Amino acid sequence: MKSLRKKIDRLKPHFSEGGRFEKLRSVFEGFESFLFVPDTVTSRGAHIRDSIDLKRTMTVVIIALVPAMLFGMWNTGFQHFRSTGVEASFLQMFLFGFIKLLPLIIVTYVTGLGIEFIAAQIRGHEINEGFLVTGLLIPLIVPIDIPLWMLALATAFAVILGKEVFGGTGMNVFNPALLARAFLFFSYPGWMSGDRVWIEGLTEGKNVVDGFSGATPLGLLMQNQTDALPSLKEMFIGTIPGSVGETSTLAILIGAAILIITGIGSWKIMTGVFAGGIVMGLLFNLIGANQYMELPFYYHLVMGGFAFGAVFMATDPVTASQTETGKWIYGFLIGLLSIFIRVINPAYPEGVMLAILLMNAFAPLIDYYVVQANIKRRLKRARVSLNTGAK
Amino acid sequence: MSATEKEPLFSAKNIKLLTGPLGKNNPITVQVLGICSALAVTVKLKPALVMALSVTVVVAVSNVVISALRSHIPDRIRIIVQLVVIATLVIIVDQLLKAYAFDVSKQLSIFVGLIITNCIIMGRLEAFALSNKPWQSFLDGVGNGAGYGIILIVVAFFRELLGSGSIMGYPVIQKLGLYSAGYENNGMMILPPMALILVGLIIWFQRSRDKSLIEKK
């Protein structure tokens, strides 16, 4: 560590003002603050309450994502060996998934960070850690078999048109990771839905066990095959086909615990999403017009990307509501809409993505009305006290 | 600007009427008019070309007609008169398309009829033809039609190439053998939102080249 610090200190003058590589200063600073805590501090008028900064926030979210990621790696191997009917050990399955997932993670990071670095250079901004979480989220919400160039294109689309156009980290209206997924979903539907893409190697269909179906629980429900649904326990643990990181509700809940304990993710939003999902599920149970509607409401919470979306996507502090009451409303509506889209619209088996993106657009409006309501309430109180004071 | 004719008909001022709408005064990217049809007819290049041509003809001819009548049109009913002129021209264009280019006419469906409501045409009649001579009005009409058309064609070119893998119906991507290399058409390019995003990108490109278009805060 020390030698690295020395090396950086030796290079620093070249990148400072008047140095040879002055133009590349933001790149240099980006690397420096990634490796070490920056040595420049706010010089005046600081309002520090805690030593938390963007870097630490992002690091905590990454740590919270690790359980889901590790489980996703194992599940990738597990599903693959299940589809080919080959016996494999725990380690084999994990390594298989690790090797398959690694290229997705690398491609996402290289594309996204590359664009962020270039954008920061052009603007003369500092490079920040904004992409670290997005870069890990994107590989976790796509099918394992997605072609790498599509992934790179989607990442570029999300970072440029979802984030940089609006002014970079913290200014985006929509969650960039979900934008990347939405881009893939609408651009290459063949790779994002159906019952082949979720398990590695199934699209080519080599060595697949006879009669094996790689359909996700949501896919099965779309075809009204309620009997073929995996058990509740399987879906909770996550040994089902699906996007890499979304299958295990258990691993996601561990991540949720980390986020809530550290105070990084809003528990209000998470609870709101689950509450909304439960209410909509119960409502559909009451109507019960078809098999899908009759599905017990708690099934919805462990299927598809519902839990992942609730914990990691809806809680994105940039695109969510900022006010405390707003967070409840925002979360609740996401849950409500997710299940609504899921059950009602057969064209979109996964409603969570669209529900969150839609509510992203409405988050500022919710905040506006929450703030206005507060102002009104306090004005009223002020008037009442004024009137009584006059008497 | 770039043209060098010395003819009085094409004086520098008149030339500007023609070229202004192509760049600095573009009806779509600067005035943000006529967006609806830009989204609807740009999935393929051919309908976009026909649409661009139709709108250019309608806006140019109606400009001339209204300009010639401008001192005889009572102010109160001028909108009705304009609509009659535009509607007549649009019906003529529609019938011509049906007679000579039935396939394209079917693809464009109601959007030919909807040229009547295209904001660019009414906009030009109100803003220009009512207060200028026929020749200048003609140039202004052609310029605005072309400015509209050029954006339509650029958007349609990318949407057809990336969304359907062809140009004017010719399967370019397939001939290049990109499909066997793993390339796939982008389904989102065929959906209307992508046209909006492409127009946005063109506006971005144009503004980054011409800083005078950026509004002051």
Side-chain angles (χ1 to χ4, degrees):
Chain A
M1 259 333 204
K2 255 191 183 155
S3 67
L4 192 65
R5 179 75 255 180
K6 262 187 198 159
K7 215 164 241 163
I8 284 178
D9 282 338
R10 215 171 46 234
L11 283 172
K12 205 166 188 173
H14 294 306
F15 288 96
S16 308
E17 254 173 272
R20 258 189 299 171
F21 304 114
E22 192 191 329
K23 281 213 170 119
L24 290 172
R25 198 166 118 197
S26 64
V27 174
F28 176 79
E29 276 177 0
F31 274 111
E32 192 194 6
S33 62
F34 177 74
L35 293 168
F36 297 99
V37 175
D39 56 357
T40 43
V41 289
T42 315
S43 52
R44 60 189 166 160
H47 306 279
I48 294 174
R49 288 169 299 172
D50 187 6
S51 56
I52 192 109
D53 63 355
L54 193 59
K55 183 176 168 185
R56 201 200 271 183
T57 313
M58 294 291 173
T59 317
V60 172
V61 182
I62 297 253
I63 292 169
L65 273 169
V66 165
M69 184 185 74
L70 292 180
F71 185 89
M73 287 176 175
W74 174 78
N75 193 38
T76 302
F78 174 73
Q79 296 295 339
H80 171 76
F81 288 117
R82 200 167 69 96
S83 74
T84 52
V86 179
E87 288 287 318
S89 69
F90 175 82
L91 201 67
Q92 270 177 314
M93 290 177 184
F94 182 78
L95 276 179
F96 181 87
F98 178 76
I99 289 165
K100 288 292 168 188
L101 187 59
L102 202 60
L104 300 192
I105 297 177
I106 293 173
V107 164
T108 317
Y109 270 123
V110 168
T111 319
L113 285 178
I115 293 167
E116 290 241 320
F117 273 49
I118 294 167
Q121 276 298 317
I122 294 172
R123 289 216 181 99
H125 283 184
E126 278 176 41
I127 289 163
N128 58 43
E129 294 86 347
F131 189 73
L132 289 183
V133 170
T134 313
L136 190 57
L137 281 174
I138 293 174
L140 292 183
I141 53 173
V142 295
I144 189 78
D145 253 359
I146 193 94
L148 293 177
W149 68 269
M150 286 181 190
L151 192 65
L153 193 67
T155 310
F157 176 86
V159 175
I160 297 174
L161 291 177
K163 206 160 119 181
E164 293 306 332
V165 159
F166 292 104
T169 306
M171 314 290 272
N172 44 309
V173 182
F174 298 106
N175 186 321
L178 277 181
L179 222 50
R181 192 180 198 280
F183 178 83
L184 287 171
F185 183 80
F186 288 107
S187 295
Y188 309 106
W191 286 98
M192 292 299 285
S193 48
D195 46 15
R196 310 210 134 250
V197 297
W198 309 105
I199 295 172
E200 144 50 49
L202 209 59
T203 36
E204 287 157 26
K206 274 186 219 148
N207 310 322
V208 178
V209 181
D210 279 345
F212 180 84
S213 162
T216 61
L218 291 176
L220 289 171
L221 281 165
M222 276 300 147
Q223 299 156 6
N224 275 329
Q225 299 178 346
T226 321
D227 309 330
L229 219 57
S231 72
L232 197 62
K233 193 182 146 207
E234 277 178 298
M235 290 198 279
F236 180 73
I237 306 279
T239 55
I240 48 170
S243 295
V244 181
E246 68 166 21
T247 57
S248 171
T249 312
L250 179 69
I252 293 163
L253 285 181
I254 298 173
I258 297 174
L259 288 182
I260 291 173
I261 290 167
T262 51
I264 301 285
S266 160
W267 64 271
K268 288 174 186 167
I269 294 179
M270 291 184 209
T271 324
V273 178
F274 279 106
I278 290 169
V279 168
M280 201 68 204
L282 282 171
L283 214 64
F284 277 131
N285 284 170
L286 271 179
I287 302 170
N290 57 29
Q291 272 191 333
Y292 206 156
M293 287 192 186
E294 280 166 2
L295 191 77
F297 68 91
Y298 43 84
Y299 270 67
H300 281 297
L301 307 183
V302 293
M303 288 190 313
F306 189 83
F308 195 88
V311 172
F312 294 111
M313 297 296 184
T315 54
D316 171 12
V318 178
T319 53
S321 279
Q322 308 289 322
T323 51
E324 297 304 309
T325 323
K327 283 176 183 169
W328 283 109
I329 302 170
Y330 170 82
F332 187 77
L333 286 175
I334 287 179
L336 216 65
L337 284 169
S338 300
I339 307 302
F340 186 76
I341 298 172
R342 205 183 251 186
V343 177
I344 296 290
N345 193 338
Y348 304 120
E350 186 50 286
V352 182
M353 169 182 86
L354 297 169
I356 297 177
L357 285 174
L358 183 68
M359 288 317 292
N360 279 171
F362 280 106
L365 190 72
I366 296 173
D367 279 341
Y368 174 81
Y369 281 111
V370 169
V371 170
Q372 290 301 315
N374 195 36
I375 292 174
K376 243 184 219 159
R377 189 174 55 83
R378 297 193 62 162
L379 262 180
K380 212 170 161 190
R381 199 164 62 193
R383 280 204 200 101
V384 168
S385 63
L386 209 70
N387 289 345
T388 47
K391 277 175 195 170
Chain B
M1 282 177 188
S2 57
T4 48
E5 278 113 322
K6 285 281 189 286
E7 264 182 293
L9 271 183
F10 288 99
S11 63
K13 213 175 152 193
N14 285 353
I15 289 293
K16 217 167 186 172
L17 289 176
L18 205 57
T19 54
L22 292 179
K24 246 184 137 80
N25 218 355
N26 191 289
I28 293 189
T29 61
V30 179
Q31 302 170 25
V32 201
L33 295 175
I35 291 286
C36 352
S37 54
L39 304 187
V41 299
T42 51
V43 175
K44 293 265 163 69
L45 196 51
K46 207 168 159 193
L49 272 170
V50 173
M51 185 72 180
L53 202 67
S54 310
V55 170
T56 310
V57 169
V58 172
V59 74
V61 178
S62 62
N63 254 6
V64 172
V65 173
I66 293 295
S67 170
L69 294 172
R70 69 185 186 282
S71 43
H72 303 287
I73 303 173
D75 210 30
R76 280 186 172 180
I77 57 161
R78 65 180 199 285
I79 303 277
I80 287 287
V81 175
Q82 288 167 10
L83 271 179
V84 170
V85 171
I86 301 170
T88 313
L89 288 165
V90 168
I91 289 167
I92 292 172
V93 167
D94 194 24
Q95 295 300 319
L96 278 174
L97 283 181
K98 274 189 184 143
Y100 296 104
F102 190 62
D103 286 345
V104 180
S105 159
K106 257 201 314 202
Q107 279 181 42
L108 288 171
S109 63
I110 56 162
F111 287 99
V112 177
L114 283 179
I115 294 177
I116 298 173
T117 58
N118 193 318
C119 338
I120 298 171
I121 297 170
M122 279 285 250
R124 286 337 286 171
L125 293 182
E126 279 283 300
F128 199 89
L130 275 176
S131 50
N132 284 284
K133 288 179 184 156
W135 173 244
Q136 275 85 354
S137 298
F138 175 74
L139 290 178
D140 180 76
V142 173
N144 275 286
Y148 167 83
I150 204 164
I151 302 296
L152 235 63
I153 289 164
V154 171
V155 172
F157 173 80
F158 284 110
R159 282 184 78 188
E160 185 177 353
L161 180 65
L162 301 173
S164 314
S166 56
I167 296 172
M168 293 293 282
Y170 181 79
V172 191
I173 305 282
Q174 197 193 345
K175 296 282 180 209
L176 287 172
L178 284 177
Y179 288 129
S180 46
Y183 177 81
E184 269 182 48
N185 286 333
N186 189 319
M188 199 162 155
M189 279 288 168
I190 298 174
L191 303 174
M194 211 56 195
L196 203 64
I197 291 173
L198 282 177
V199 171
L201 286 176
I202 294 173
I203 293 177
W204 185 13
F205 176 74
Q206 195 186 6
R207 287 183 170 217
S208 64
R209 293 197 55 182
D210 187 351
K211 301 280 185 216
S212 66
L213 286 175
I214 300 170
E215 297 92 350
K216 287 190 184 67
K217 275 177 194 164

